[in-house]
Amino acid sequence: MLRYLGLRVLQAIGVLWAAFTISFVVLFLLPSDPVSIAVDSGGGSGTPVDAAAVAELQARYGLDKPVLEQYWTSLTSAIRGDFGTSISTGQPVTTAILGAVPSTLALAGLALMLAVGVGGGLAFLATYTRARWLRTALLSLPPLGVAVPTFWVGLLLLQVFSFGLPIFPAFGDRGFGSLVLPAITLAVPTGAVIAQVLATSLTTTWRQPFTTAAEAKGASRWRIQTRHVLRLASVPAFTIAGVLVGELLAGSVVVETVFSRAGVGRLTQTSVLAQGIPVVQGIVVLTSLVFVVVTLAVDIVYPLIDPRIVQRTTRPTKEPAHV
């Protein structure tokens, strides 16, 4: 078990380092100069950019140093939790991100609960029922949820439940009511993926010989599904749910823009438009950290669901027999 956890922790550290390095390389290769954009904040005003001011700012933010020195300085600072200062606002990156995180966490958390509850419930009911028409109808919903664009779902919900039926606030962040429609919008594609994966896994598990043996011993369909089939079939869906946490954070960019909510998504949008490299890099590392932590938690829970996973991971590879 310790070997299994040690491998997962090393993989998590490697993913974080790769995310930081790739984001640094990609952002460094951008053709535009973020300092010039910050100085020319008027954007199209026709006023020439002051070269002395640009040089002074580049020296202040260390952008005039060699690339490898910038990389090493950024990496060692990031390890200490310091991602520098935003060029466009002058605010510390860590402060800006921490200020936006609570709103996005509330949104992503509620969306994940809705996705797991509705998607998992739909898959459970579709594979439990003996009515073929109901199973076909339920299993046709997940592909529809995956195919529909997220922004279109958000605009449809706004039109119906904010402008048509004034039940929920249309924009802003004004309590739990303003969180409902964005969370539903974000949960639709996530829940659809969970439903597809879990329904397929439940159907496959139901075909295993042990279900026939359990039915022969008099066990009810409900007992077999809840006590045996669901446990084994939940591993793939559990994996997908962990991966989709990163998708929820990425999807918050669209949802927070549609509903005019403050959060990491809006901060990402404004930082990309302003070429705010330190902020974008900090958000990339934060998203990777959340993804890594959730994935690590999923890996730790795996052995509780299926102990065979640990045996397969830690079992040494047998040497081929010599002839």
Side-chain angles (χ1 to χ4, degrees):
M1 184 66 181
L2 290 178
R3 175 183 170 84
Y4 172 81
L5 293 178
L7 290 174
R8 292 297 179 267
V9 171
L10 288 178
Q11 290 176 355
I13 294 173
V15 169
L16 283 177
W17 172 80
F20 179 88
T21 303
I22 292 173
S23 64
F24 180 87
V25 172
V26 171
L27 295 173
F28 183 80
L29 292 178
L30 286 176
S32 56
D33 181 10
V35 173
S36 299
I37 294 177
V39 173
D40 187 21
S41 57
S45 61
T47 305
V49 178
D50 187 352
V54 171
E56 193 276 332
L57 283 175
Q58 286 179 334
R60 181 188 305 174
Y61 291 105
L63 299 177
D64 58 341
K65 298 178 180 177
V67 177
L68 290 180
E69 185 177 348
Q70 290 185 46
Y71 171 75
W72 179 252
T73 304
S74 301
L75 180 61
T76 52
S77 299
I79 293 174
R80 298 193 301 269
D82 179 12
F83 290 93
T85 304
S86 171
I87 298 175
S88 57
T89 64
Q91 186 181 23
V93 173
T94 305
T95 303
I97 293 177
L98 291 180
V101 162
S103 177
T104 300
L105 278 184
L107 173 63
L110 182 59
L112 183 61
M113 286 193 291
L114 290 174
V116 173
V118 177
L122 189 149
F124 184 92
L125 182 60
T127 53
Y128 178 75
T129 182
R130 294 183 184 275
R132 180 169 297 181
W133 67 269
L134 179 58
R135 179 183 307 171
T136 303
L138 292 175
L139 292 180
S140 65
L141 295 178
L144 181 64
V146 174
V148 175
T150 304
F151 72 90
W152 186 85
V153 175
L155 294 176
L156 179 64
L157 292 175
L158 278 175
Q159 187 66 33
V160 175
F161 296 105
S162 294
F163 303 137
L165 303 172
I167 300 176
F168 299 105
F171 305 112
D173 187 3
R174 292 174 291 177
F176 182 78
S178 63
L179 190 64
V180 174
L181 295 185
I184 294 175
T185 303
L186 200 55
V188 167
T190 307
V193 173
I194 292 175
Q196 280 187 310
V197 174
L198 184 58
T200 302
S201 184
L202 284 169
T203 303
T204 303
T205 308
W206 262 109
R207 293 171 182 161
Q208 298 295 320
F210 75 88
T211 60
T212 304
E215 286 180 325
K217 293 180 180 178
S220 66
R221 186 174 178 82
W222 175 265
R223 181 179 177 83
I224 296 174
Q225 173 125 338
T226 56
R227 296 290 298 274
H228 305 289
V229 174
L230 183 60
R231 179 179 179 181
L232 294 178
S234 63
V235 174
F238 198 61
T239 305
I240 290 296
V243 173
L244 290 178
V245 170
E247 295 289 335
L248 288 174
L249 294 178
S252 67
V253 176
V254 176
V255 174
E256 289 176 353
T257 301
V258 171
F259 290 91
S260 298
R261 289 178 56 85
V264 176
R266 288 293 297 279
L267 182 62
T268 304
Q269 181 203 20
T270 55
S271 300
V272 169
L273 292 177
Q275 294 282 305
I277 292 178
V279 179
V280 175
Q281 190 170 34
I283 293 173
V284 170
V285 174
L286 171 68
T287 306
S288 304
L289 178 63
V290 172
F291 175 79
V292 163
V293 170
V294 172
T295 305
L296 186 61
V298 169
D299 288 339
I300 292 174
V301 174
Y302 270 158
L304 304 179
I305 300 176
D306 189 355
R308 295 172 298 177
I309 294 176
V310 177
Q311 297 173 5
R312 286 196 295 266
T313 305
T314 58
R315 183 180 300 164
T317 305
K318 293 182 178 179
E319 295 290 338
H322 295 286
V323 178

